[in-house]
């Protein structure tokens, strides 16, 4: 692996890890909103938002694992 490939890999890892942290925080925030919402429409929106965050989180975890195993 060349230096530029190694640097690019490290940048991708850092970006993915940063995105995972950001999404984790957003998921915690969404979870706390469930306790505050009583309107059915808003509750539906929170459920869809939470599902989208979970999908994005799962995607990033798969990308992280793939990137880690590709360099081993």
């Amino acid at each position: 692996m060349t230096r530029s490939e190694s640097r690019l890999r490290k940048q991708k890892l850092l970006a993915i890890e940063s995105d995972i942290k950001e999404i984790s925080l957003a998921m915690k925030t969404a979870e706390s909103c469930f306790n505050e919402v009583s309107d059915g429409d808003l509750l539906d929106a929170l459920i869809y938002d939470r599902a989208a965050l979970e999908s994005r989180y799962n995607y990033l975890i798969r990308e992280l694992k793939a990137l880690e195993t590709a360099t081993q």
Side-chain angles (χ1 to χ4, degrees), residues 31-54:
E31 188 69 34
S32 69
C33 288
F34 278 107
N35 298 326
E36 313 255 340
V37 172
S38 60
D39 182 73
D41 290 334
L42 290 177
L43 189 57
D44 286 345
L46 284 172
I47 291 168
Y48 287 118
D49 288 345
R50 173 72 186 207
L53 288 169
E54 286 178 359

Side-chain angles (χ1 to χ4, degrees), residues 4-53:
S4 62
E5 290 172 335
S6 178
R7 187 173 64 244
L8 181 60
R9 180 188 163 275
K10 190 170 193 169
Q11 288 173 343
K12 285 182 181 180
L13 280 171
L14 290 174
I16 290 172
E17 289 171 351
S18 175
D19 287 349
I20 289 172
K21 288 178 185 176
E22 190 176 309
I23 289 173
S24 294
L25 179 60
M27 289 171 67
K28 288 178 186 176
T29 301
E31 188 69 34
S32 69
C33 288
F34 278 107
N35 298 326
E36 313 255 340
V37 172
S38 60
D39 182 73
D41 290 334
L42 290 177
L43 189 57
D44 286 345
L46 284 172
I47 291 168
Y48 287 118
D49 288 345
R50 173 72 186 207
L53 288 169

Side-chain angles (χ1 to χ4, degrees), residues 44-69:
D44 286 345
L46 284 172
I47 291 168
Y48 287 118
D49 288 345
R50 173 72 186 207
L53 288 169
E54 286 178 359
S55 294
R56 178 78 176 140
Y57 179 84
N58 291 334
Y59 165 78
L60 290 170
I61 294 296
R62 285 192 309 273
E63 288 294 305
L64 183 64
K65 288 179 182 179
L67 195 57
E68 289 174 343
T69 57

